[in-house]
C-alpha cells in the first residue's frame, strides 16, 4: 500500500530541493574559497622564487619573500623597469590579451619555446644580500617539453651571465624521464654555467654545456629551447644587456 509520502510529485520536490541546496552550498564555498586559493597560489609562487634564489625551507614564506626579494616589472623590448605592480601581474591572462602581448608568429620570430605569444611586460625578481646588493636575478621562464608547457624560474648571478639555479615547478613530463627536470642532482649541473647554454646529449665539456637527461632527450631539448628563448633577444635579452652593463650590481 502506498502512502502520500511516496508520490512521484513529493519525490521530485525532495530531489529538486536537495539539488538546489547542494548547488547553493557548492557555489557559496567556491566564491568564499577563491581568495584563499589565490593566496595559496601566490604563496606557492613565492616559495618557488625563494627556492630559485637558493632560500629553501622557510617557515614564513611571505615574510621572507618580502624581506629578501624585490619584485619588479620590465618592459621586454626596452629592458627598462616600468611601474606596473608586479603583485597583480598575471602572465596567463596577459598572454592572451592582445593589448598586453604579442604573437611571435606575427612578429616573424621563430617560436623555439612553443609559447606562441609573449607579454610586453614581465615580472623579474631580485634577491638581495644583507648589504642590499644583488644576489640573484630570477626570471620566470616557460616552454614546451614533450607533453606540455614547463613552468620554471632561472636564477642568474648579478653579472646577468652566470647561472645560479634553475627550477621547474609545474610541468606534464613523465615522472622518472622528463620529470627529472625537477631532480636537484640534474639542476645542480646548471650552477656556475654561463649563458648561452647548450643542453647536449652527454659529455658536457665546457661552461656553456649541460648533459641532458638520459631517456628524455625531447624534454632536455625543450629546456634548452626554453632557456635560449627567455635569455635571448625576444625574451629577457634587452633586460640582461642592461644587467651585464652593471645595472643591478
Ligand atoms: C610512456 C613514455 C613516456 C615518455 N616520456 C618522456 C618524457 O617525459 N620526456 C622525454 O624526453 N621522452 C620521453 N619518452 C621517450 C621519448 O619518446 C624518446 O624516446 C626519448 O625522448 C629519447 O630520449 P633518449 O635519446 O635520451 O633515449 C617517453 C616514452 C614513453 C614510451
Amino acid at each position: 500500500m502506498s502512502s502520500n509520502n511516496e508520490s512521484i510529485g513529493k519525490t521530485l520536490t525532495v530531489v529538486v530541493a536537495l539539488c538546489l541546496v547542494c548547488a547553493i552550498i557548492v557555489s557559496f564555498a567556491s566564491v568564499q574559497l577563491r581568495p584563499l586559493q589565490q593566496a595559496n597560489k601566490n604563496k606557492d609562487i613565492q616559495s618557488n622564487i625563494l627556492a630559485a634564489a637558493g632560500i629553501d625551507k622557510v617557515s614564513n614564506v611571505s615574510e621572507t619573500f618580502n624581506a629578501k626579494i624585490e619584485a619588479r616589472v620590465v618592459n621586454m623590448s626596452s629592458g627598462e623597469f616600468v611601474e606596473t605592480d608586479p603583485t597583480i601581474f598575471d602572465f596567463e591572462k596577459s598572454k592572451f590579451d592582445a593589448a598586453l602581448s604579442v604573437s611571435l608568429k606575427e612578429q616573424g620570430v621563430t617560436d623555439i619555446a612553443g609559447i606562441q605569444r609573449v607579454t610586453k611586460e614581465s615580472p623579474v625578481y631580485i634577491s638581495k644580500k644583507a648589504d642590499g646588493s644583488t644576489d640573484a636575478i630570477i626570471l620566470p621562464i616557460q616552454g614546451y617539453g614533450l607533453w606540455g608547457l614547463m613552468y620554471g624560474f632561472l636564477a642568474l648571478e648579478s653579472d646577468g651571465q652566470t647561472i645560479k639555479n634553475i627550477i621547474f615547478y609545474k610541468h606534464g613530463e613523465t615522472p622518472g624521464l622528463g620529470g627529472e627536470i625537477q631532480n636537484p642532482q640534474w639542476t645542480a649541473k646548471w650552477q656556475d654555467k654561463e649563458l648561452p647554454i647548450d643542453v647536449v646529449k652527454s659529455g658536457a665539456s665546457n661552461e656553456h654545456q649541460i648533459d641532458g637527461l638520459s631517456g628524455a632527450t625531447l624534454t632536455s631539448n625543450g629546456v634548452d629551447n626554453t632557456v635560449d628563448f627567455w635569455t635571448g633577444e625576444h625574451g629577457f635579452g634587452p633586460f640582461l644587456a642592461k644587467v651585464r652593463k652593471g645595472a643591478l650590481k
Side-chain angles (χ1 to χ4, degrees):
M1 197 174 85
S2 77
S3 75
N4 271 352
N5 279 344
E6 287 172 12
S7 72
I8 290 188
K10 281 197 173 168
T11 307
L12 282 177
T13 310
V14 170
V15 168
V16 170
L18 199 62
C19 287
L20 268 178
V21 170
C22 290
I24 290 168
I25 291 172
V26 171
S27 329
F28 183 76
S30 159
V31 171
Q32 288 297 305
L33 291 176
R34 205 165 293 152
L36 195 65
Q37 285 169 342
Q38 191 54 46
N40 280 338
K41 203 173 147 192
N42 290 345
K43 202 170 151 185
D44 192 43
I45 293 284
Q46 288 181 342
S47 78
N48 286 314
I49 293 166
L50 287 170
I55 308 165
D56 273 327
K57 298 186 183 74
V58 290
S59 52
N60 191 328
V61 171
S62 298
E63 210 171 84
T64 313
F65 184 89
N66 292 335
K68 305 235 166 168
I69 307 281
E70 184 189 2
R72 300 292 305 266
V73 175
V74 292
N75 176 298
M76 296 301 268
S77 48
S78 70
E80 300 281 354
F81 287 125
V82 290
E83 290 313 312
T84 309
D85 181 356
T87 60
I88 56 160
F89 189 93
D90 184 328
F91 184 87
E92 289 312 308
K93 274 190 196 151
S94 311
K95 187 174 158 180
F96 295 107
D97 184 329
L100 302 177
S101 64
V102 290
S103 151
L104 294 174
K105 197 173 170 187
E106 281 165 22
Q107 306 274 308
V109 175
T110 312
D111 183 10
I112 52 172
I115 48 174
Q116 295 173 34
R117 303 184 69 85
V118 280
T119 53
K120 293 177 186 170
E121 295 179 352
S122 173
V124 296
Y125 304 91
I126 300 148
S127 80
K128 299 281 184 187
K129 291 184 188 158
D131 65 3
S133 61
T134 298
D135 185 42
I137 300 148
I138 299 129
L139 310 174
I141 57 171
Q142 53 178 260
Y144 251 80
L146 174 60
W147 301 117
L149 273 182
M150 308 174 290
Y151 296 81
F153 289 106
L154 178 71
L156 302 174
E157 303 281 353
S158 61
D159 61 1
Q161 190 76 35
T162 312
I163 293 177
K164 195 176 166 75
N165 203 358
I166 187 167
I167 64 160
F168 287 96
Y169 60 92
K170 194 168 107 182
H171 63 82
E173 305 306 287
T174 314
L177 293 172
E180 291 296 291
I181 51 171
Q182 283 186 306
N183 187 330
Q185 280 177 1
W186 189 63
T187 54
K189 293 184 179 181
W190 290 71
Q191 203 175 358
D192 296 331
K193 295 283 178 174
E194 300 276 325
L195 295 175
I197 285 296
D198 191 14
V199 181
V200 296
K201 214 164 156 75
S202 66
S205 59
N206 64 42
E207 72 273 22
H208 296 289
Q209 294 186 335
I210 287 157
D211 281 344
L213 293 161
S214 60
T217 301
L218 300 174
T219 304
S220 305
N221 291 346
V223 173
D224 192 1
N225 288 332
T226 301
V227 171
D228 283 353
F229 179 83
W230 288 104
T231 55
E233 60 176 319
H234 302 292
F236 290 104
F239 170 65
L240 291 178
K242 291 189 190 303
V243 173
R244 285 169 196 154
K245 283 187 188 149
L248 289 177
K249 284 278 182 194

